[in-house]
Amino acid sequence: MTSFSQTIKLLLAGVLFMVLGSSMMAQDQVVGRITEATVEGPTPLPGATVYWVNTATGTTTDQDGFFTLKTVKLTNRLVISYVGFESDTLVIESPEVFLNIEMRPEQREGEVTVEGRAPGTTFGHAEAINTIKMSERELFKAACCNLSESFETNPSVDVSFTDAVSGTKQIRMLGLAGPNVMISQENMPGIRGLAANFGLTFLPGPWIQGIQVTKGAGSVANGYESIAGHINVELKKPQESEKIYLNGFLNPQGRSELNFNFTEVINNEWAMTTLSHANVSPFKFDVNNDDFLDLPVGYQLNLLNRWVYMDDAGWIGQFGFQVMKDDRRGGVLDFDPEIDRGGTDAYGLGIDTERVSFFAKLGYVFPRQEYKTFGIQVSGTDHRHRSYFGIRNYDGVQQSAYTNLIYQSIIGDTRHKFRTGLSFQYDFYDEQLMMEGGQDFDFLRAEYVPGAFFEYTYDHLEGFTVVAGLRADQHNLFGTLVTPRLHTRLALGSNTTLRTTAGRGYRVANIISENTAILATSRAISFQGLQSVHGYGYNPESAWNFGANLVQDFRLFYRYGTINLDYYHTRFDNRVVLDLDHNTQEALFYGLDGQSFSNTAQVEMIYEAGRRFEVRLAYRYLDVRTDFTTGLLENPLIPRHRSFINLDYETNNGWHFDLTTQWIGQQRLPDTSGNPEAFQRADYTPSYLLVNAQVRKQLGKGWEVYVGGENLNNFRQDDPIIAPDDPFGAYFDTSMVWAPILGRMYYAGFRYKVF
């Protein structure tokens, strides 16, 4: 039994680690405790060895089982070993999470397990910018076949279909559409421009190592385009990936996917990873019997190759490329593109995308001055999109190039840090929109945007942090764009952190590619309230974002939990408004004349309700309004209320159970009172419930199988298309999708890993 003095010592040690944890973790250290499970409770294992795989960097635990270990650049795989116990390896996704690692002796039925369970989603205390970190563990809770499906277990990001025929998914954050969210790939431009909607399917889930979600204004070092938030996707890296990773997926509708990742460490300096993906949806199906395919048929082929270089002199570099082709066909069941395309005998749609991109990074860390670094990022993209919706055609080409030079150092001591740099963004767009009746549009523009930024950080780890940034960009078409941003962090105690944020963002809206749902309607497209002779005739969208966030760790019944509260207000100075209420047969674009704002309040709790049993609860309130021609109205198809429950349980013999339940409140629908009665819809949708579940089983020797179901309660929107029997008539509309149209869906898959 543990003596009273030992108990007090352990409590004091625990308090010390809680108080100093954020400080140590901010210095890139892993902190944890190694114990053995006994009938009396966890017993510390002093002298256990902890080291990073394939390195000489390691440590041992103290007499109470605690350890601290500095992170390394080469790997995130931590080896734990102890005499009488079998060594095992942990993947450290979030170094700032305190690790409770439990070992079992070999003699217990010949089985040894090492447990270092951290939540799949974490809210850190150390950073000034409010960032939610999603690890690979979180992505495994769902099928997660691509980036758009990675957020199905995240209450901060909404995922929905843009329309009832194309199968395109969109995300929303703070009640604002996905293009208002900067989506970067390892802090370089990712899904943007013409790919803002369709591009969410261009990053397969098995390629993703982790996702960082920042609400509101982010860092000025990443550019000026963040308005609602910033999503940064980290792909699997050669120095941290499995040697072989194989993933397969299949559902009864015939959608099948196969991913194969291969990593090779060439020598002490070079490593390479190849990520490959293929999917196919060959079968036509129509669950709601409206004669339209519920999802298009087609395929995607996707390949990414990357190389990483590291040496002992402080140089770090990487480069790679990605090629992708995605081809989709939909419409009525008997549509044959070879016969029917371009005519009015049968309605069909096709979306064909080809994309090639490259990226490169080079960085240098000054020896014996690790606070001083400089780096350069370079990337380029050629994106080609061809599509048709009935007799409407929309084609677009985007060619982009980006470079960013960053220098980071200190002023006096490490409490005062700064980073500064120069950037350049080039975008060329060539779009053609061909409508019925000879209504054709050509949109051609080239953007050159050099910019500079400076960001100062004062970091008093135990108390207060402030990050103040300013950037200026000179847009060749729209003049100077000045972007100020301010973030603060105040530690109100060892377990309580308060953050505030304020900042501005800009973006040039690509109004057709971001609203392709209107192409799958009979609405005419009109442009009013023009503001510029450039682009589509409108100035860049600009908005201010203000927010506050409170993170509170707690302990209840001897188990740990975290409560995350936040509130954000976004107010637009200018935006391009799409008005679907003005006229039921028209999609009207115009520059904002009046107000457009979003208020978001969310409370979220993660609690370890039992051993290996995590409960996650959330509620979010949205108030999103815009001055339309008919007055200040709620933006359509945005639920004001949303509740979320996720239950995550794992057994000690490899079974893993996940259950996610969401309640989605009412949503305002665009006004259809001008339609004949048969083609009218209610002003508001009903609220509804969604239930998803998944079961995984680790089979040993690297194998894992999973089965799951989405929308298990089988809720469906039965009439997602207005006038489906007359798709070339005046009232055809597929854009009013507010709930699932597929009904219950099951899936199964497997994963195989070799380290």
Side-chain angles (χ1 to χ4, degrees), residues 47-51 57-61 67-69:
T49 301
V50 185
Y51 65 94
T57 303
T59 187
T60 58
T61 56
F67 72 91
T68 62
L69 181 63

Side-chain angles (χ1 to χ4, degrees), residues 140 143 206 244-250 256-260 694-699 702-708 747-753:
F140 282 171
I244 294 176
Y245 179 88
L246 185 65
N247 171 264
F249 170 93
L250 179 67
S256 56
E257 305 201 358
L258 184 65
N259 297 273
F260 178 71
Q694 185 189 87
V695 179
R696 309 198 306 266
K697 178 67 169 72
Q698 295 178 356
L699 302 179
W703 286 97
E704 181 181 71
V705 294
Y706 58 92
V707 295
Y747 61 85
F750 70 89
R751 301 182 183 97
Y752 174 65
K753 300 180 180 181

Side-chain angles (χ1 to χ4, degrees), residues 507-538:
R507 74 180 197 93
V508 178
N510 293 282
I511 60 177
I512 303 301
S513 64
E514 294 168 9
N515 297 283
T516 53
I518 63 173
L519 301 181
T521 71
S522 61
R523 292 177 182 260
I525 296 178
S526 300
F527 302 92
Q528 295 184 8
L530 300 181
Q531 304 167 323
S532 170
V533 297
H534 302 297
Y536 307 93
Y538 301 102

Side-chain angles (χ1 to χ4, degrees), residues 278-444:
N279 73 58
V280 61
S281 298
F283 302 133
K284 299 180 178 182
F285 57 95
D286 176 21
V287 175
N288 53 17
N289 298 314
D290 59 6
D291 199 38
F292 274 78
L293 274 69
D294 295 329
L295 284 177
V297 297
Y299 69 91
Q300 181 184 118
L301 298 175
N302 209 335
L303 177 71
L304 184 146
N305 177 259
R306 68 188 303 171
W307 292 75
V308 169
Y309 171 81
M310 295 183 181
D311 65 20
D312 296 332
W315 289 98
I316 304 172
Q318 65 169 293
F319 62 89
F321 68 90
Q322 180 181 356
V323 293
M324 189 278 307
K325 179 174 176 59
D326 188 273
D327 188 57
R328 305 290 165 182
R329 297 290 181 269
V332 297
L333 289 169
D334 58 356
F335 172 76
D336 184 343
E338 300 295 330
I339 300 174
D340 300 316
R341 181 179 176 180
T344 58
D345 292 334
Y347 185 94
L349 68 87
I351 303 172
D352 183 11
T353 307
E354 296 176 351
R355 184 178 175 90
V356 178
S357 61
F358 73 90
F359 56 91
K361 293 182 181 181
L362 180 65
Y364 179 72
V365 180
F366 287 79
R368 296 181 296 278
Q369 293 177 301
E370 294 187 0
Y371 54 80
K372 185 186 295 187
T373 64
F374 75 81
I376 185 170
Q377 304 170 327
V378 179
S379 66
T381 301
D382 183 272
H383 179 96
R384 298 178 182 270
H385 174 93
R386 295 176 292 276
S387 62
Y388 59 89
F389 299 80
I391 56 177
R392 299 178 172 185
N393 291 271
Y394 170 65
D395 298 335
V397 173
Q398 176 186 348
Q399 294 174 329
S400 298
Y402 168 83
T403 184
N404 195 24
L405 179 66
I406 303 175
Y407 174 74
Q408 178 174 301
S409 188
I410 63 174
I411 304 173
D413 58 53
T414 55
R415 292 176 302 171
H416 304 274
K417 307 171 186 176
F418 74 90
R419 58 176 171 170
T420 186
L422 302 172
S423 66
F424 181 79
Q425 177 73 56
Y426 166 77
D427 292 299
F428 170 78
Y429 295 95
D430 184 6
E431 302 169 83
Q432 296 87 39
L433 176 61
M434 291 155 278
M435 307 280 286
E436 61 271 24
Q439 188 185 25
D440 296 341
F441 302 93
D442 291 319
F443 304 106
L444 181 69

Side-chain angles (χ1 to χ4, degrees), residues 617-633:
L617 308 174
Y619 166 76
R620 192 194 61 213
Y621 170 82
L622 285 175
D623 181 21
V624 186
R625 298 174 186 265
T626 297
D627 267 315
F628 296 99
T629 54
T630 52
L632 184 64
L633 302 174

Side-chain angles (χ1 to χ4, degrees), residues 49-54 77-81 87-90:
T49 301
V50 185
Y51 65 94
W52 297 108
V53 68
N54 295 328
R77 301 190 180 279
L78 193 67
V79 177
I80 314 296
S81 64
S87 299
D88 210 335
T89 304
L90 304 178

Side-chain angles (χ1 to χ4, degrees), residues 592-605:
L592 178 66
D593 182 14
Q595 301 183 73
S596 182
F597 61 84
S598 165
N599 294 308
T600 306
Q602 181 170 310
V603 56
E604 185 172 357
M605 182 187 74

